[in-house]
Amino acid sequence: DTIRYLAKRLKERTEILKEKAIDPYATSPEVTPPVTPILRKDDYIRLKEEERVAKEEAEKKKAEEAAKKAEEKKKKDEEKRLEAEKKAEEERLAEEAKRKERILPEISCSCFDVLFHPVEEKMDVFLGTTIDPFTDRRYISWLSFVALAYNYNVWFCSARLAFPYHGETANRYWIFLDILSDIVNVIDIVVWQPRLQFVKAGDIIKDRALTKVHYRKSQRFKTDIISILPFDLLCLYFEFSSLYRLNRFIRIDSFFEFSDRLESVMAKAYIWRVARTTGYLLYMLHLNACAYYVASVHQGLATTTWVYDGNGTAYLRCYYFAVRSLINIGGLPEPVTTFEISFQMANFFIGVFVFSSLIGQMRDVIGAATAAQTYFRASMDGCVAYMNTYTIPKLVQNRVRTWYNYTWAAQGMLDESELLDKMPLVMRIAIAVDVNLATFQKIALFQGCDQQMLVDMLLRLKSIIYLPGDFVVKKGDIGKEMYIIKSGAVQVVGGPNNSIVFVTLKAGSVFGEISLLQSAKDGGNRRTANVKAHGFANLFVLEKKDLFDILVHYPESEKVLARKGRKLIKAKGAVPAKGNEEKQKGLALFGPKPPTPKLLRAFANLKKLKVNVMWGSVFCCRLFKSIDG
């Protein structure tokens, strides 16, 4: 019974194990953990990769959410800070406006608007409703008259106030000039200033009504109104004097505006800066001459050796004294009274301070004007010193000097990129498009490409100057660039000693563009001709690396260039690639076997001779033995 029971159990167990072998998911008789599904290797790797990607995406999403929350918090904090600053600024401006209103209350010009309305309408025909104060040459020309009127007031009013230049004959001329200068100021305030455009929140305001309101609410308008108040009418009740015109002096902003606008349009602004600084110097001498004459009158003319003696032209003599006094030339008469000593000491102190300041300013102006020339000289001197240190041949040194001199004379700088890099991208694009876009559009290789791609290519161009006789490219060189002739000419040459000129390319021509698209495999981008500069030649260069960096962002243009490149290469008869030739096989790859040296051949022949003699002797011995037998 026991044996039968064991046999039954074994049969049941065998059946269960058979089922498990057929069905891998069947359970075994023992209590075991659940069986993991069996996967193929590729499925398992893909499953693990999906799990890893899902985990990374979850972590990335979590990090992005955290960064977004932090950014939102930072943005809210920044908005709160800006709002607080804006509120504080508004409170400050409001307080400042209240303070100004207490000093200069708002001026109502309703009656003047009605009075001058016909004049404004007529001027709109000539000037337009608004004017750009920075670029409109008409406004800059008008400012020259305003500056002239201001200089008339500050120079002649002070001279008339100090020197006895008023009389029955001269007064009529002074009145005419005063009225003329006042008319210029009135026209500027009524006609020109209300038309000036201004910027508000980044927008250029061109509305006439808004520009007029903006000017009349400004501090300058109130200053201008005060400067033209006709205090001259007091001369009808009092003595005629230029003292009543001193309020014209406060309109100094008009002179500084003229100076700034003139500098912005001049090609050589340092000329005006030198002239302006010289004018400051002369005006200080003018004021000192006026003060010296007043002091002489106060002391009494010709009462001492120091004061003006009353002989000759008063202004010229006093100006001469001012020059010698302020510049500390010496040789002046000794002051006698305490007043004279004090006046002369003040003159010396003021002269030292003022003239040192003006001389320093003049030095800065001249230094700024010649900064580029100084940089050029320093660069050239450094290069010459380097060549002398390493004993470079004189011929090479002369060519280097010629390159420096011509480059500086042609473009005023050694590297144009230094200037362009300081400009914003929009300005650089505008300059590049204006200079070279038309030339690029004429190149057959680039016709049909994206216009923006051409603009990006223009920004990668580099300017290079070649001396007469310099080879731009040589036959057999690796082609890595294309060239655009900016100025000058180049020649395609060949023959013995490159004496034959095949063609001359002038400004606007392009060469080397095919090499940008040819592959370096099997020498497909080798130069096929010699090109040298005929005279001085300024070329723009586009490198292959820059082109490929640009084409990454323009796949459609890349396809167009590839297709056109193949056509142009085929049309120009490109050199067939070596890979198309029939390949050699076997030992032919190693070439013909080299001949055996004569000495080795002699030893080999001697060895063969010995072997032949040995075999001959053996044969003879066997022959004799057979005969004896």
Side-chain angles (χ1 to χ4, degrees), residues 114-160:
V114 176
L115 181 63
F116 291 109
H117 184 69
V119 179
E120 291 179 351
E121 287 184 344
K122 290 183 179 179
M123 294 306 296
D124 287 343
V125 178
F126 300 99
L127 302 178
T129 56
T130 58
I131 298 172
D132 186 355
F134 297 98
T135 60
D136 198 319
R137 296 298 180 94
R138 298 173 301 172
Y139 178 64
I140 299 174
S141 301
W142 168 253
L143 282 179
S144 62
F145 292 100
V146 178
L148 182 63
Y150 178 78
N151 278 276
Y152 163 78
N153 286 316
V154 297
W155 281 80
F156 286 93
C157 288
S158 56
R160 289 159 53 190

Side-chain angles (χ1 to χ4, degrees), residues 299-587:
Q299 290 290 99
L301 298 179
T303 55
T304 64
T305 57
W306 181 83
V307 298
Y308 171 57
D309 57 3
N311 298 324
T313 305
Y315 182 78
L316 188 60
R317 295 293 182 91
C318 293
Y319 202 92
Y320 175 74
F321 173 86
V323 171
R324 299 190 66 177
S325 178
L326 287 184
I327 304 180
N328 297 323
I329 295 177
L332 295 171
E334 292 291 334
V336 178
T337 64
T338 304
F339 174 80
E340 294 174 357
I341 295 174
S342 301
F343 185 89
Q344 192 61 41
M345 289 178 61
N347 257 0
F348 287 146
F349 287 133
I350 294 174
V352 170
F353 174 74
V354 171
F355 277 85
S356 61
S357 301
L358 292 177
I359 290 173
Q361 185 176 359
M362 187 73 74
R363 180 203 62 191
D364 294 340
V365 170
I366 296 175
T370 59
Q373 183 76 19
T374 304
Y375 171 74
F376 161 71
R377 289 298 176 191
S379 300
M380 186 172 178
D381 293 344
C383 184
V384 170
Y386 174 84
M387 292 188 293
N388 290 332
T389 301
Y390 289 95
T391 319
I392 304 298
K394 291 296 181 182
L395 178 63
V396 178
Q397 292 192 26
N398 292 334
R399 292 184 66 81
V400 171
R401 289 191 181 95
T402 303
W403 181 88
Y404 267 99
N405 291 323
Y406 177 79
T407 302
W408 178 257
Q411 57 191 28
M413 61 189 71
L414 297 178
D415 189 2
E416 292 180 347
S417 61
E418 294 181 0
L419 176 64
L420 297 176
D421 289 342
K422 299 177 182 178
M423 295 184 179
L425 181 61
V426 177
M427 298 293 104
R428 282 186 285 154
I429 291 176
I431 294 175
V433 168
D434 184 65
V435 174
N436 294 316
L437 183 60
T439 304
F440 255 74
Q441 291 173 340
K442 296 177 183 178
I443 303 175
L445 183 63
F446 298 129
Q447 290 178 357
C449 295
D450 194 323
Q451 292 295 313
Q452 185 59 41
M453 188 200 77
L454 298 182
V455 173
D456 290 345
M457 291 170 62
L458 295 178
L459 296 176
R460 303 293 185 97
L461 294 178
K462 299 176 183 177
S463 178
I464 299 179
I465 292 179
Y466 289 89
L467 301 183
D470 281 351
F471 278 91
V472 181
V473 298
K474 288 187 176 181
K475 186 175 181 179
D477 289 349
I478 301 297
K480 299 179 181 178
E481 310 91 2
M482 68 165 287
Y483 299 89
I484 303 174
I485 304 176
K486 179 182 178 183
S487 62
V490 298
Q491 294 178 335
V492 181
V493 297
N497 298 323
N498 296 312
S499 58
I500 302 175
V501 178
F502 297 111
V503 66
T504 300
L505 304 176
K506 297 185 178 181
S509 301
V510 180
F511 61 94
E513 68 274 16
I514 301 300
S515 64
L516 293 180
L517 298 177
Q518 285 181 312
S519 172
K521 183 180 179 182
D522 299 324
N525 62 340
R526 296 277 182 176
R527 300 292 189 185
T528 58
N530 296 320
V531 180
K532 71 175 183 178
H534 179 64
F536 292 95
N538 192 346
L539 309 181
F540 283 119
V541 181
L542 177 65
E543 296 182 355
K544 180 182 292 188
K545 177 181 178 299
D546 294 333
L547 176 63
F548 287 168
D549 292 342
I550 294 171
L551 290 178
V552 171
H553 307 286
Y554 301 96
E556 295 299 327
S557 297
E558 184 178 7
K559 295 177 182 178
V560 173
L561 286 179
R563 184 170 62 253
K564 287 193 173 186
R566 288 192 295 268
K567 292 181 180 179
L568 290 174
I569 293 170
K570 186 177 180 181
K572 292 189 177 184
V575 179
K578 294 181 181 179
N580 296 332
E581 299 178 358
E582 184 179 355
K583 294 184 178 180
Q584 298 177 345
K585 298 182 181 179
L587 295 176

